[in-house]
Amino acid sequence: MSVNRIAAVVVTVLVIAVVAVGLLLGGSPAEQRLLRFDERRVADLRMLARAVRVHWNRAGELPVALSELADGQNLDRLPLDPATREDYDYAVTGADGFRLCASFVRPSVNPVAQEFWVHTAVRHCFEFELGGPLQEDLLVVPVR
């Protein structure tokens, strides 16, 4: 075997090893796609929670359905689940409380960074309470 041939084999083995380690550490492209979908779901639910708060501040009541939020001022259109293209679930849970739900494919990747938005790999609901006087700086308060 010549030196060039040995070098080519060594380089090929090293490239294959680096790709394998990269896939092992970072996950397959399909796995990364599923994680991005779950990240998008959390971002969509956060946006919907803020839009519900804005509606509450303007109207003094919770919307009966999420469709009320797509009024061109609050939201141009409602976000849809990135995989199924279906609406997220929303329910009023009291005079100043509501719930937003989504079906997640994987559990939260970094639960410490987004403590409230931690979810498992199933349908998960997040509970909120608005309460207090109507004011612009009113935050949506997650129910723990």
Side-chain angles (χ1 to χ4, degrees):
M1 229 188 224
S2 72
V3 173
N4 289 341
R5 188 174 194 131
I6 291 172
V9 168
V10 168
V11 168
T12 302
V13 168
L14 284 174
V15 167
I16 291 171
V18 167
V19 169
V21 168
L23 287 174
L24 183 66
L25 294 177
S28 70
E31 179 69 19
Q32 290 302 310
R33 183 172 187 254
L34 294 175
L35 291 173
R36 279 193 313 274
F37 279 172
D38 280 350
E39 289 170 359
R40 181 65 206 193
R41 288 178 182 104
V42 168
D44 288 348
L45 294 178
R46 291 175 81 134
M47 177 177 47
L48 289 169
R50 283 190 300 273
V52 169
R53 177 186 57 86
V54 168
H55 182 277
W56 166 271
N57 283 342
R58 287 183 185 155
E61 62 186 10
L62 290 166
V64 174
L66 288 177
S67 59
E68 292 180 46
L69 301 175
D71 59 5
Q73 293 178 332
N74 204 353
L75 293 174
D76 290 329
R77 61 183 170 79
L78 290 176
L80 300 174
D81 183 281
T84 65
R85 308 306 298 161
E86 294 179 8
D87 292 329
Y88 293 103
D89 293 332
Y90 165 81
V92 175
T93 59
D96 63 353
F98 65 97
R99 174 179 32 245
L100 289 168
C101 306
S103 293
F104 296 93
V105 179
R106 298 286 183 260
S108 295
V109 176
N110 189 0
V112 175
Q114 17 176 332
E115 185 179 322
F116 173 72
W117 295 101
V118 171
H119 57 80
T120 56
V122 294
R123 177 178 156 79
H124 189 88
C125 295
F126 299 92
E127 301 274 339
F128 303 89
E129 286 181 5
L130 294 168
L134 299 180
Q135 52 189 353
E136 285 305 311
D137 63 345
L138 180 69
L139 297 176
V140 176
V141 180
V143 177
R144 301 268 179 204

